[in-house]
Amino acid sequence: MILLHGGPATPGYMKPVAMKLAKHFRVLEPFQRRGSAEALTVARHVQDLQEIIVKYCGGDKPLLAGHSWGAMLALAYAAGYPDSVGALAVISCGSFDPASRKRLEAVYDERMDEAFRQHIEELEEKYPNPNVRLAIRGGLYQRLDSVDLVKSENCLCRCDAAAHEQTWNDMLRLQAAGVYPQAFTTIQAPVLMLHGDDDPHPGPMIRDCLKPYLPQLEYHAWGRCGHYPWLEKAARKDFYTKLIHWLRG
């Protein structure tokens, strides 16, 4: 199986999930392409993933599991290569429509206090390196994304702010052009969507946006669970049980 990190361009933090799943599957955890002079696109990420699958999967159809942006990439890949995927698990999936993003921003706004807002405003001055700033910002927002997390090792590797911005801007462009989620009608594989009820990314709205194009989509959510279900005290055990059982099936 192939495990896809989110961000975009924030690799490494999925290590605990990879280690757990490696007890049951052969797991590949590719770190997605970094930024360069040529602007990154969703198509480039999809092609990179196809090259990895051709090289390492020996003609087998891998299982794909992606978190956040990685879930979106998994869906984009499966739409482009529908005959190359065995099954898809989309964890805390990102948004595919303006209404879901508007709700996300509203929830963030509700959860911020003035101290948090002040800290965010000071990031550019305190951290002039945009890659460092992206990592710090992600750590801060994890507080808004979560309910009650277990203590865990920080496995985040070097972030890439340029790759993050280029990739996300291209995804927004493709959504505005009507490419996604409409292209997902070509996906033939089973799809499981796992989400936390307390994730600021509105699970039911994202599900309902995807469902017309993915009628086979199954949805499972947990209470007292945010954007990182494998770290949430109330959900982590059942998260692994559900994910592994479904993928084995």
Side-chain angles (χ1 to χ4, degrees), residues 102-119:
K102 185 176 181 180
R103 179 58 189 157
L104 168 67
E105 293 302 322
V107 174
Y108 277 150
D109 189 63
E110 292 168 4
R111 295 183 182 181
M112 290 182 189
D113 57 22
E114 287 306 313
F116 187 95
R117 297 178 202 277
Q118 183 68 27
H119 202 162

Side-chain angles (χ1 to χ4, degrees), residues 198-232:
D198 294 289
D199 190 338
H201 302 73
M205 292 180 71
I206 296 169
R207 175 200 61 202
D208 293 347
C209 179
L210 293 174
K211 193 72 173 176
Y213 312 104
L214 290 167
Q216 73 272 38
L217 184 146
E218 302 173 47
Y219 182 79
H220 185 85
W222 293 275
R224 292 193 53 76
C225 179
H227 196 56
Y228 303 89
W230 65 92
L231 295 177
E232 291 281 5

Side-chain angles (χ1 to χ4, degrees), residues 143-163:
R143 303 177 193 174
L144 305 184
D145 284 330
S146 307
V147 180
D148 188 15
L149 302 183
V150 298
K151 292 183 179 180
S152 64
E153 177 188 2
N154 183 359
C155 301
L156 183 67
C157 297
R158 188 160 66 95
C159 297
D160 189 324

Side-chain angles (χ1 to χ4, degrees), residues 8-243:
T10 58
Y13 71 91
M14 295 290 287
K15 178 182 176 181
V17 182
M19 297 295 287
K20 187 78 170 181
L21 293 178
K23 297 176 181 178
H24 305 273
F25 308 94
R26 176 183 177 232
V27 179
L28 303 178
E29 187 193 359
F31 286 11
Q32 294 153 31
R33 182 183 293 263
R34 299 183 63 82
S36 64
E38 180 182 354
L40 270 177
T41 64
V42 175
R44 178 69 264 181
H45 286 295
V46 167
Q47 186 57 37
D48 285 346
L49 185 52
Q50 168 64 359
E51 292 172 7
I52 289 169
I53 289 173
V54 169
K55 182 175 181 179
Y56 291 106
C57 294
D60 293 331
K61 293 183 178 183
L63 310 172
L64 297 186
H67 174 252
S68 196
W69 146 253
M72 303 172 81
L73 175 57
L75 290 167
Y77 175 80
Y81 294 91
D83 295 326
S84 299
V85 178
L88 288 161
V90 292
I91 305 162
S92 307
C93 190
S95 56
F96 286 97
D97 69 306
S100 296
R101 285 190 288 279
K102 185 176 181 180
R103 179 58 189 157
L104 168 67
E105 293 302 322
V107 174
Y108 277 150
D109 189 63
E110 292 168 4
R111 295 183 182 181
M112 290 182 189
D113 57 22
E114 287 306 313
F116 187 95
R117 297 178 202 277
Q118 183 68 27
H119 202 162
I120 293 296
E121 291 174 2
E122 295 171 351
L123 284 182
E124 189 165 358
E125 181 180 347
K126 287 184 175 180
Y127 305 99
N129 184 313
N131 298 333
V132 174
R133 191 162 62 245
L134 177 60
I136 298 295
R137 183 183 179 90
L140 290 172
Y141 269 81
Q142 189 181 54
R143 303 177 193 174
L144 305 184
D145 284 330
S146 307
V147 180
D148 188 15
L149 302 183
V150 298
K151 292 183 179 180
S152 64
E153 177 188 2
N154 183 359
C155 301
L156 183 67
C157 297
R158 188 160 66 95
C159 297
D160 189 324
H164 175 90
E165 182 176 7
Q166 292 166 6
T167 300
W168 186 243
N169 285 344
D170 191 53
M171 173 54 80
L172 293 179
R173 178 188 67 81
L174 291 166
Q175 290 182 21
V179 176
Y180 298 129
Q182 291 86 333
F184 300 157
T185 55
T186 64
I187 296 175
Q188 304 167 14
V191 182
L192 175 66
M193 182 175 178
L194 300 174
H195 219 88
D197 285 340
D198 294 289
D199 190 338
H201 302 73
M205 292 180 71
I206 296 169
R207 175 200 61 202
D208 293 347
C209 179
L210 293 174
K211 193 72 173 176
Y213 312 104
L214 290 167
Q216 73 272 38
L217 184 146
E218 302 173 47
Y219 182 79
H220 185 85
W222 293 275
R224 292 193 53 76
C225 179
H227 196 56
Y228 303 89
W230 65 92
L231 295 177
E232 291 281 5
K233 292 179 180 178
R236 64 192 308 266
K237 183 177 180 180
D238 194 55
F239 164 77
Y240 282 121
T241 299
K242 179 74 175 179
L243 177 61

